[in-house]
Amino acid sequence: MRLLFYTKPPFLDCDLPYLRAQKENVKEVFTIIDLPPFFLHSSLLNIDKQSSKAGIYKASLYQEITFFKDYIDIDKTYVINRTSTKVVSISNLRLNIKLFFFIFKLNPDIIHSTVFYDIQELLLYFFRKKTILTVHDPFPHKGETNYRKSFLRKLGFILLNNFVILNKKQKTEFIATYKLNKKNIYESNLSIYNVYKLFLEQNSDTNPSKNILFFGRVSPYKGIDVLLKAMKNVHHINPDLKLIVAGNGEYYFDTTEFEKLTYIEFRNRYIPNVELVKLIKDSLFVVCPYIDATQSGVIMTSYVFCKPVIASNVGGLSEMVIDKVTGYLVEPNNIIELQNSIIELVSNKKLLDTMEKNVYDHFHHGQRGWTKISKDLFIVYNTIINDNKK
């Protein structure tokens, strides 16, 4: 089997661990990373200077990608080096044609995409019968969509047949909403983003400070305002506890009153991976007070370092946070329930230690590990290939 995996930088933190595991099943794994200028600092990548020549190149063009050589075959990994920030440009139209012939010549048995194709990628629908698409967000998040994105999603659902959904809870509604064929919807899930271990400093402190952590891109669906209000109440019970809110983006509410508080620290900027890993390691646990969600890479990154998570019971998060086992599930927008969960976990060292062990037992191997996930999707690939032969 020849697999072509098509992705973009924001998904590399979950894609690379999957691809490393899938190499055990698939004979040939080729990877294409679409790299426009606005994704140079995204997820795992932190590329300071982009090559000025547009084209499709071996991944060795960027040392920042060869850093992950243990996870992907660099000789079979390619970068679409887009130099134009405009979706519709002469440069990107030329690349679209080059990409089409590149894939045509490669002639993969199966194409696994992690993204809905944008305007400059529409020629890829020529290969739609052999394509399977991972839908990371079955339903768009609040404040995260626009007309173009909505149109491209609808087009993808019309032109493609096979989809992977990463949580079971939303599957029925997903199929009904987009009027999809149930037999072509495959269930999978995420495991730990273990690639972040590469950024762990050898002298990292093994004793967590008395901090709790929110990290990730700032967005209206993240419920940061709910967490900040809860933290003001937590402070009266645990005055030594500090909340760190780390991640870039424009805040959707006035943060002035919270910026004055000494027990809340904002790091409203891009967080380099070494710094992020240290923040996670040094925290007691991570909080995800989302208003809506599908699944969460934040949770799977926290689990790499066995950190429990307090999360809202929305979307598929209940499949990732096992309530009272690997963390707590709270109702979204419920400040009282959130603050009580924080207070209880901070105050109970034995419970915190037990949850850390539970995270390791449940997510670092076994049914929730990448080995099982990759084997299940290998079976899916073969199913699609055989169906296309009929």
PDB file of all heavy atoms in Angstrom, residues 3 36 61 85 92 99 134 154 193 234 238 247 287 322 324 327 371 387:
ATOM      1  N   LEU A   3       0.523   5.137   0.844  1.00  0.00           N
ATOM      2  CA  LEU A   3      -0.317   6.137   1.495  1.00  0.00           C
ATOM      3  C   LEU A   3       0.261   7.523   1.278  1.00  0.00           C
ATOM      4  O   LEU A   3       1.454   7.742   1.478  1.00  0.00           O
ATOM      5  CB  LEU A   3      -0.406   5.848   2.997  1.00  0.00           C
ATOM      6  CG  LEU A   3      -0.935   6.965   3.908  1.00  0.00           C
ATOM      7  CD1 LEU A   3      -2.406   7.266   3.623  1.00  0.00           C
ATOM      8  CD2 LEU A   3      -0.749   6.594   5.381  1.00  0.00           C
ATOM      9  N   PRO A  36       1.962  27.730   3.875  1.00  0.00           N
ATOM     10  CA  PRO A  36       1.847  29.148   3.503  1.00  0.00           C
ATOM     11  C   PRO A  36       2.560  30.020   4.539  1.00  0.00           C
ATOM     12  O   PRO A  36       2.871  29.548   5.635  1.00  0.00           O
ATOM     13  CB  PRO A  36       0.331  29.381   3.539  1.00  0.00           C
ATOM     14  CG  PRO A  36      -0.174  28.393   4.535  1.00  0.00           C
ATOM     15  CD  PRO A  36       0.747  27.200   4.493  1.00  0.00           C
ATOM     16  N   LEU A  61      14.357  20.873   2.995  1.00  0.00           N
ATOM     17  CA  LEU A  61      14.517  22.309   2.766  1.00  0.00           C
ATOM     18  C   LEU A  61      14.511  23.065   4.092  1.00  0.00           C
ATOM     19  O   LEU A  61      15.162  24.106   4.219  1.00  0.00           O
ATOM     20  CB  LEU A  61      13.379  22.818   1.869  1.00  0.00           C
ATOM     21  CG  LEU A  61      13.321  24.318   1.571  1.00  0.00           C
ATOM     22  CD1 LEU A  61      14.493  24.731   0.669  1.00  0.00           C
ATOM     23  CD2 LEU A  61      11.993  24.682   0.913  1.00  0.00           C
ATOM     24  N   THR A  85       0.502  35.133   0.367  1.00  0.00           N
ATOM     25  CA  THR A  85      -0.506  35.049   1.428  1.00  0.00           C
ATOM     26  C   THR A  85      -1.916  35.057   0.866  1.00  0.00           C
ATOM     27  O   THR A  85      -2.874  34.797   1.598  1.00  0.00           O
ATOM     28  CB  THR A  85      -0.358  36.237   2.402  1.00  0.00           C
ATOM     29  OG1 THR A  85      -0.475  37.461   1.668  1.00  0.00           O
ATOM     30  CG2 THR A  85       0.980  36.193   3.107  1.00  0.00           C
ATOM     31  N   ASN A  92      -0.016  30.642  -6.393  1.00  0.00           N
ATOM     32  CA  ASN A  92      -0.741  29.502  -5.831  1.00  0.00           C
ATOM     33  C   ASN A  92      -1.475  28.697  -6.902  1.00  0.00           C
ATOM     34  O   ASN A  92      -1.627  27.472  -6.770  1.00  0.00           O
ATOM     35  CB  ASN A  92      -1.719  29.988  -4.761  1.00  0.00           C
ATOM     36  CG  ASN A  92      -1.041  30.212  -3.419  1.00  0.00           C
ATOM     37  OD1 ASN A  92      -0.046  29.556  -3.106  1.00  0.00           O
ATOM     38  ND2 ASN A  92      -1.544  31.147  -2.634  1.00  0.00           N
ATOM     39  N   LEU A  99       0.969  20.552  -7.938  1.00  0.00           N
ATOM     40  CA  LEU A  99       0.564  19.591  -6.918  1.00  0.00           C
ATOM     41  C   LEU A  99      -0.267  18.475  -7.524  1.00  0.00           C
ATOM     42  O   LEU A  99      -0.091  17.292  -7.183  1.00  0.00           O
ATOM     43  CB  LEU A  99      -0.227  20.307  -5.817  1.00  0.00           C
ATOM     44  CG  LEU A  99      -0.749  19.446  -4.672  1.00  0.00           C
ATOM     45  CD1 LEU A  99       0.408  18.783  -3.922  1.00  0.00           C
ATOM     46  CD2 LEU A  99      -1.579  20.291  -3.701  1.00  0.00           C
ATOM     47  N   THR A 134     -10.094  13.445   7.527  1.00  0.00           N
ATOM     48  CA  THR A 134     -10.334  13.545   8.966  1.00  0.00           C
ATOM     49  C   THR A 134     -11.009  14.878   9.261  1.00  0.00           C
ATOM     50  O   THR A 134     -10.465  15.933   8.938  1.00  0.00           O
ATOM     51  CB  THR A 134      -9.023  13.452   9.766  1.00  0.00           C
ATOM     52  OG1 THR A 134      -8.476  12.132   9.621  1.00  0.00           O
ATOM     53  CG2 THR A 134      -9.268  13.712  11.248  1.00  0.00           C
ATOM     54  N   LYS A 154     -18.941  22.541   2.907  1.00  0.00           N
ATOM     55  CA  LYS A 154     -20.083  21.954   2.199  1.00  0.00           C
ATOM     56  C   LYS A 154     -19.628  21.263   0.922  1.00  0.00           C
ATOM     57  O   LYS A 154     -20.111  20.178   0.584  1.00  0.00           O
ATOM     58  CB  LYS A 154     -21.117  23.041   1.884  1.00  0.00           C
ATOM     59  CG  LYS A 154     -21.855  23.566   3.104  1.00  0.00           C
ATOM     60  CD  LYS A 154     -22.835  24.668   2.733  1.00  0.00           C
ATOM     61  CE  LYS A 154     -23.539  25.214   3.976  1.00  0.00           C
ATOM     62  NZ  LYS A 154     -24.456  26.344   3.641  1.00  0.00           N
ATOM     63  N   TYR A 193      -0.011  13.494  22.322  1.00  0.00           N
ATOM     64  CA  TYR A 193       0.863  14.167  21.361  1.00  0.00           C
ATOM     65  C   TYR A 193       2.307  14.035  21.831  1.00  0.00           C
ATOM     66  O   TYR A 193       2.968  15.005  22.214  1.00  0.00           O
ATOM     67  CB  TYR A 193       0.478  15.640  21.245  1.00  0.00           C
ATOM     68  CG  TYR A 193      -0.866  15.905  20.589  1.00  0.00           C
ATOM     69  CD1 TYR A 193      -1.736  14.871  20.256  1.00  0.00           C
ATOM     70  CD2 TYR A 193      -1.280  17.200  20.316  1.00  0.00           C
ATOM     71  CE1 TYR A 193      -2.964  15.121  19.658  1.00  0.00           C
ATOM     72  CE2 TYR A 193      -2.501  17.464  19.711  1.00  0.00           C
ATOM     73  CZ  TYR A 193      -3.344  16.424  19.389  1.00  0.00           C
ATOM     74  OH  TYR A 193      -4.554  16.676  18.798  1.00  0.00           O
ATOM     75  N   VAL A 234     -11.600  31.256  43.619  1.00  0.00           N
ATOM     76  CA  VAL A 234     -10.631  30.270  44.106  1.00  0.00           C
ATOM     77  C   VAL A 234      -9.571  30.947  44.970  1.00  0.00           C
ATOM     78  O   VAL A 234      -9.109  30.387  45.967  1.00  0.00           O
ATOM     79  CB  VAL A 234      -9.959  29.542  42.915  1.00  0.00           C
ATOM     80  CG1 VAL A 234      -8.779  28.683  43.397  1.00  0.00           C
ATOM     81  CG2 VAL A 234     -10.972  28.682  42.168  1.00  0.00           C
ATOM     82  N   ASN A 238      -7.556  29.540  48.141  1.00  0.00           N
ATOM     83  CA  ASN A 238      -6.162  29.160  47.886  1.00  0.00           C
ATOM     84  C   ASN A 238      -5.373  30.380  47.412  1.00  0.00           C
ATOM     85  O   ASN A 238      -5.106  30.533  46.207  1.00  0.00           O
ATOM     86  CB  ASN A 238      -6.089  28.055  46.829  1.00  0.00           C
ATOM     87  CG  ASN A 238      -6.771  26.781  47.263  1.00  0.00           C
ATOM     88  OD1 ASN A 238      -7.937  26.572  46.929  1.00  0.00           O
ATOM     89  ND2 ASN A 238      -6.062  25.935  47.999  1.00  0.00           N
ATOM     90  N   GLY A 247      -1.061  31.874  25.445  1.00  0.00           N
ATOM     91  CA  GLY A 247      -1.477  31.673  24.061  1.00  0.00           C
ATOM     92  C   GLY A 247      -1.787  32.989  23.381  1.00  0.00           C
ATOM     93  O   GLY A 247      -2.160  33.961  24.046  1.00  0.00           O
ATOM     94  N   VAL A 287      -6.565  23.398  32.742  1.00  0.00           N
ATOM     95  CA  VAL A 287      -8.003  23.681  32.734  1.00  0.00           C
ATOM     96  C   VAL A 287      -8.447  24.043  31.318  1.00  0.00           C
ATOM     97  O   VAL A 287      -7.824  24.873  30.650  1.00  0.00           O
ATOM     98  CB  VAL A 287      -8.359  24.834  33.691  1.00  0.00           C
ATOM     99  CG1 VAL A 287      -9.881  24.984  33.794  1.00  0.00           C
ATOM    100  CG2 VAL A 287      -7.759  24.596  35.068  1.00  0.00           C
ATOM    101  N   ILE A 322     -11.732  11.377  31.617  1.00  0.00           N
ATOM    102  CA  ILE A 322     -12.565  10.419  32.347  1.00  0.00           C
ATOM    103  C   ILE A 322     -12.862  11.036  33.705  1.00  0.00           C
ATOM    104  O   ILE A 322     -11.965  11.214  34.535  1.00  0.00           O
ATOM    105  CB  ILE A 322     -11.851   9.066  32.501  1.00  0.00           C
ATOM    106  CG1 ILE A 322     -11.395   8.541  31.130  1.00  0.00           C
ATOM    107  CG2 ILE A 322     -12.774   8.051  33.172  1.00  0.00           C
ATOM    108  CD1 ILE A 322     -10.514   7.311  31.209  1.00  0.00           C
ATOM    109  N   LYS A 324     -13.410  12.178  37.238  1.00  0.00           N
ATOM    110  CA  LYS A 324     -12.931  11.721  38.545  1.00  0.00           C
ATOM    111  C   LYS A 324     -11.857  10.635  38.438  1.00  0.00           C
ATOM    112  O   LYS A 324     -11.490  10.002  39.426  1.00  0.00           O
ATOM    113  CB  LYS A 324     -14.091  11.228  39.420  1.00  0.00           C
ATOM    114  CG  LYS A 324     -15.108  12.315  39.738  1.00  0.00           C
ATOM    115  CD  LYS A 324     -16.244  11.777  40.598  1.00  0.00           C
ATOM    116  CE  LYS A 324     -17.226  12.875  40.968  1.00  0.00           C
ATOM    117  NZ  LYS A 324     -17.908  13.458  39.790  1.00  0.00           N
ATOM    118  N   GLY A 327      -9.296  13.443  35.558  1.00  0.00           N
ATOM    119  CA  GLY A 327      -9.601  14.856  35.730  1.00  0.00           C
ATOM    120  C   GLY A 327     -11.048  15.032  36.142  1.00  0.00           C
ATOM    121  O   GLY A 327     -11.686  14.085  36.626  1.00  0.00           O
ATOM    122  N   THR A 371      -0.722   2.969  18.439  1.00  0.00           N
ATOM    123  CA  THR A 371      -0.588   1.670  17.757  1.00  0.00           C
ATOM    124  C   THR A 371      -1.956   1.116  17.391  1.00  0.00           C
ATOM    125  O   THR A 371      -2.184   0.677  16.253  1.00  0.00           O
ATOM    126  CB  THR A 371       0.165   0.672  18.653  1.00  0.00           C
ATOM    127  OG1 THR A 371       1.482   1.170  18.904  1.00  0.00           O
ATOM    128  CG2 THR A 371       0.260  -0.683  17.979  1.00  0.00           C
ATOM    129  N   ASP A 387     -13.040  -1.286  -2.074  1.00  0.00           N
ATOM    130  CA  ASP A 387     -14.305  -0.775  -2.612  1.00  0.00           C
ATOM    131  C   ASP A 387     -14.097  -0.115  -3.968  1.00  0.00           C
ATOM    132  O   ASP A 387     -14.941  -0.211  -4.864  1.00  0.00           O
ATOM    133  CB  ASP A 387     -14.944   0.227  -1.642  1.00  0.00           C
ATOM    134  CG  ASP A 387     -15.565  -0.438  -0.415  1.00  0.00           C
ATOM    135  OD1 ASP A 387     -15.724  -1.677  -0.452  1.00  0.00           O
ATOM    136  OD2 ASP A 387     -15.847   0.262   0.560  1.00  0.00           O
TER     137      ASP A 387
END
